[in-house]
Amino acid sequence: MTKKLLEVKNLRTYFHTFKGTVKAVDDVSFWVDEGEILAIVGESGGGKSVTGFSVIRLIEEPGRIESGEILFEGKDLMGLSESQMNRVRGKDISMIFQDPMTSLNPVYTIGQQIEETLILHTDLSPKERKAASIELLRSVGISNPESRLKAYPHQFSGGMRQRVIIAIALAADPKLIIADEPTTALDVTIQAQILRLMAELVRGKGRSLILVTHDLAVVSEMADRINVMYCGKVVESGPTRDVIDRSAHPYTKGLIGSIPDLERDKNRLETIKGIVPNMFDLPKGCKFAPRCTRAKEICHVQEPEVINMSQSHQVACHFPFREEVL
Amino acid sequence: MFRFIVKRLIQLVLVLFVVSLIVFVFTSVMGNPVYLMVRENATEAEIQAVVQYLGLDKPLPVQYGIFLKNALHGNFGKSYMYHLPALGLIMERFPATLEIVVVALLLSASLGIPLGVLSGAYPKSKFSQGVMAFSIAGISMPSFWIGMVMIFFFSLYLGVLPVSGRGDVGTILGINTSLATVNGWQHIILPSITLALGNVATIIRLTRSGMQENMRQDYVRFARAKGVPRRKVLFGHALKNTLIPVVTIFGLQMGSLIAFTTITETIFAWPGMGKLLIDAINIAARPIIAAYILFVAVMFVFINFIVDILYVFIDPRIDLQ
């Protein structure tokens, strides 16, 4: 029986702006097992990143975590003070950001930035820290790590920087890593490399990963389970194969349909009709109803309950696709 | 690095040449020192003697040549009034000015930067709004007025600090300075605060806007995600990226404080360079004015040189070439 490493219950993160309140994350619950890769997918503005940042409580003004529990190894992170939280960040849970070009501080060397994490979260001596930094750089595939320690971020390419960021995220050997669209800003040719590297490192050490992405193709290869998010809600969740092969929510179907497929001879790429609604003015009932081909009257009025498709496969839809329909 | 220094030296020579030309032309057309030096009812012969003594009978280009030649030897001529070498007079007054300027700069850096960092990091707090109000007041109040108010309040009303003058002078490492005595410090406080006030305000505002910009950057967030404590995020990651414009302005402020403390020195009767300049202008003492301006020009080039080198230590992306 695997143990739950992280369990998020009824998380609500709202942004209070001049124009009104944005419910970026609205009553979201999910969990991550030890050694598991969980993917959170959805379109831009669906609340995926905010969910990731909420877990380590890095929500900046005007955002606020309104309510919810974030249980990490059974301990509620919401109850920790800021300085207690700083001992969790980077040590127990670390994060990899979307844009490697801006995530590293331009005025510190690579070595200093790796070492900073080691100073904060380990008891290593200066000599051991240097050795550990070199080892970390080597593990993420950077050649000549000794000489790279003194280099500055601007001397590195985007792919190399993301490798450095992964090295920093792994430095204190955290139990959970949250990767927020780690490959979106990289060249296509490098994306696969970086993802494979991350998966290897995480699996090799038996650590857990939350992979936030909009790329279902990537996810289907790597993840154990998938959460599909739309407008701040989890609309479908379950094991990867269930969600991909037996998707129940029309939104998930749409996402899968819009993956380009070079082998099939299609003239046009399928898309999901319409755009993500204005977050200040969300539709009543099911948030996806205005774009949904299967929507009936009830969808515009009443928010769908979460229903079990199987023991591990949940969907929030009034009219989910059932096996027999296929 | 070596090429950079050579380039800077060439630049210095060029700047000095241009400044010397301007100085010479302006001082030549500005007032006639002869009438200030001779008796009121001097005879034509006496006037001629003085003109010849000062070398004013020769054509302007020749005068400029002589001026340049002497200047290169550090000789700007003798002060008409004191009959002492001009440069020597300036150098004699320089430490006094440097004292109040250094104290003023230390004040503005040690107050301005932390206040700017905090008010930039928490722009909505009451503290930050208070700091901003203070800085607007600091920028908009003229220093001579503040100086006089402080003299009135601290010296005349409370009677805790001296009204004016330099006070006792002691020696540190062979340099005569009033920083060595308690009495000297008492005299330094008010003029330094007067000088610093406007600068503190500028530095607060500059640091604050830089911090607001940098706090939004990903690397600040990433540092926080690493578990870096708030204080280190502010004064390490964010501040170091904010420093370039602050150091630039700081250098310029240092230059202009040393060069133009005239008002403050006049109010506090501080025997520094600024006071000397004002006196020299009143009596049209060309050698002193010329030496002063060239001295200031050299100083500005030198300070900027230091600032440029500091850039490289702050931001590795800046290349001196």
Side-chain angles (χ1 to χ4, degrees), chain B residues 254-273:
Chain B
M254 179 166 184
S256 48
L257 278 189
I258 295 176
F260 310 112
T261 50
T262 43
I263 294 173
T264 308
E265 285 186 3
T266 308
I267 294 170
F268 289 94
W270 190 263
M273 286 166 33

Side-chain angles (χ1 to χ4, degrees), chain A residues 53 56 58 60 82 86 89-90 93 95 97 99 102-108 113 116-117 120-121 152 154 165 168, chain B residues 124 215 217-230 232 235-238 240-241 313-317:
Chain A
F53 280 110
I56 55 169
L58 264 190
E60 314 249 334
E82 187 62 19
N86 276 334
R89 294 179 188 134
I93 309 177
M95 204 153 172
F97 284 25
D99 188 354
T102 56
S103 304
L104 291 172
N105 195 328
V107 300
Y108 290 114
Q113 300 194 50
E116 189 173 33
T117 306
L120 286 168
H121 302 304
Y152 285 94
H154 70 274
I165 289 165
I168 292 174
Chain B
K124 283 182 186 155
M215 288 304 285
Q217 300 293 324
D218 272 353
Y219 53 75
V220 166
R221 226 179 184 199
F222 186 61
R224 293 194 61 204
K226 280 158 75 174
V228 180
R230 189 83 182 167
K232 278 192 179 163
F235 288 93
H237 287 267
K240 205 173 173 206
N241 280 281
F313 285 102
I314 296 169
D315 192 337
R317 287 167 298 180

Side-chain angles (χ1 to χ4, degrees), chain B residues 60-208:
Chain B
L60 275 183
V62 177
Q63 280 189 45
Y64 177 66
I66 295 168
F67 167 76
L68 210 57
K69 192 184 120 219
N70 289 336
L72 283 177
H73 293 96
N75 175 13
F76 291 86
K78 285 183 177 159
S79 151
Y80 301 153
M81 295 301 281
Y82 306 106
H83 295 284
L84 290 167
L87 195 61
L89 271 177
I90 291 173
M91 292 316 293
E92 194 185 294
R93 301 290 194 95
F94 182 59
T97 297
L98 202 58
E99 270 165 27
I100 50 170
V101 169
V102 165
V103 174
L105 284 173
L106 288 179
L107 265 179
S108 49
S110 59
L111 272 178
I113 292 177
L115 288 180
V117 167
L118 292 176
S119 71
Y122 310 102
K124 283 182 186 155
S125 69
K126 283 271 174 300
F127 168 78
S128 171
Q129 282 160 7
V131 168
M132 288 318 277
F134 161 78
S135 79
I136 288 183
I139 284 181
S140 42
M141 283 191 290
S143 63
F144 64 85
W145 182 78
I146 291 182
M148 289 191 290
V149 168
M150 285 200 303
I151 289 177
F152 176 77
F153 186 73
F154 289 104
S155 310
L156 302 178
Y157 183 73
L158 290 181
V160 289
L161 290 171
V163 174
S164 65
R166 195 180 172 195
D168 297 342
V169 176
T171 43
I172 301 177
L173 303 171
I175 302 163
N176 284 328
T177 167
S178 41
L179 293 177
T181 64
V182 176
N183 180 275
W185 271 101
Q186 285 171 342
H187 283 83
I188 284 177
I189 293 174
L190 287 186
S192 294
I193 292 178
T194 308
L195 281 180
L197 222 50
N199 289 342
V200 173
T202 312
I203 292 205
I204 287 177
R205 300 188 79 91
L206 207 62
T207 311
R208 179 185 137 102

Side-chain angles (χ1 to χ4, degrees), chain A residues 281-300:
Chain A
D281 189 19
L282 286 174
K284 260 176 72 182
C286 174
K287 309 281 179 274
F288 187 60
R291 301 171 70 187
C292 183
T293 47
R294 292 159 67 88
K296 304 216 169 84
E297 208 165 299
I298 184 172
C299 298
H300 296 282

Side-chain angles (χ1 to χ4, degrees), chain A residues 87-259:
Chain A
R87 284 197 286 275
V88 173
R89 294 179 188 134
K91 186 173 198 307
D92 293 325
I93 309 177
S94 70
M95 204 153 172
I96 296 168
F97 284 25
Q98 178 166 1
D99 188 354
M101 304 310 273
T102 56
S103 304
L104 291 172
N105 195 328
V107 300
Y108 290 114
T109 63
I110 300 296
Q112 285 173 322
Q113 300 194 50
I114 299 176
E115 202 183 9
E116 189 173 33
T117 306
L118 294 172
I119 293 173
L120 286 168
H121 302 304
T122 68
D123 305 322
L124 299 179
S125 69
K127 233 178 167 177
E128 290 168 324
R129 285 202 297 263
K130 197 179 174 201
S133 304
I134 291 171
E135 198 38 57
L136 279 164
L137 283 183
R138 186 172 291 129
S139 72
V140 293
I142 285 177
S143 54
N144 288 327
E146 291 89 349
S147 60
R148 298 294 193 162
L149 285 180
K150 286 207 178 73
Y152 285 94
H154 70 274
Q155 294 161 317
F156 281 45
S157 69
M160 296 256 285
R161 286 190 215 187
Q162 198 62 304
R163 285 171 193 271
V164 172
I165 289 165
I166 292 172
I168 292 174
L170 293 173
D173 195 17
K175 300 187 180 89
L176 172 67
I177 296 156
I178 302 169
D180 181 21
E181 309 231 11
T183 57
T184 310
L186 299 176
D187 283 347
V188 186
T189 45
I190 308 197
Q191 289 184 0
Q193 283 178 25
I194 295 285
L195 282 170
R196 208 164 298 137
L197 174 72
M198 267 177 24
E200 270 167 26
L201 291 171
V202 168
R203 293 236 192 261
K205 292 182 169 182
R207 300 312 184 198
S208 307
L209 174 70
I210 297 179
L211 181 63
V212 175
T213 179
H214 59 253
D215 192 344
L216 257 182
V218 161
V219 162
S220 60
E221 277 178 38
M222 279 179 68
D224 298 310
R225 279 187 307 114
I226 299 181
N227 281 355
V228 182
M229 281 189 77
Y230 186 75
C231 290
K233 301 238 179 220
V234 175
V235 293
E236 181 164 6
S237 65
T240 305
R241 296 271 52 102
D242 283 354
V243 174
I244 302 269
D245 300 337
R246 289 175 286 281
S247 355
H249 199 283
Y251 180 62
T252 316
K253 274 256 191 270
L255 282 180
I256 294 170
S258 52
I259 299 173

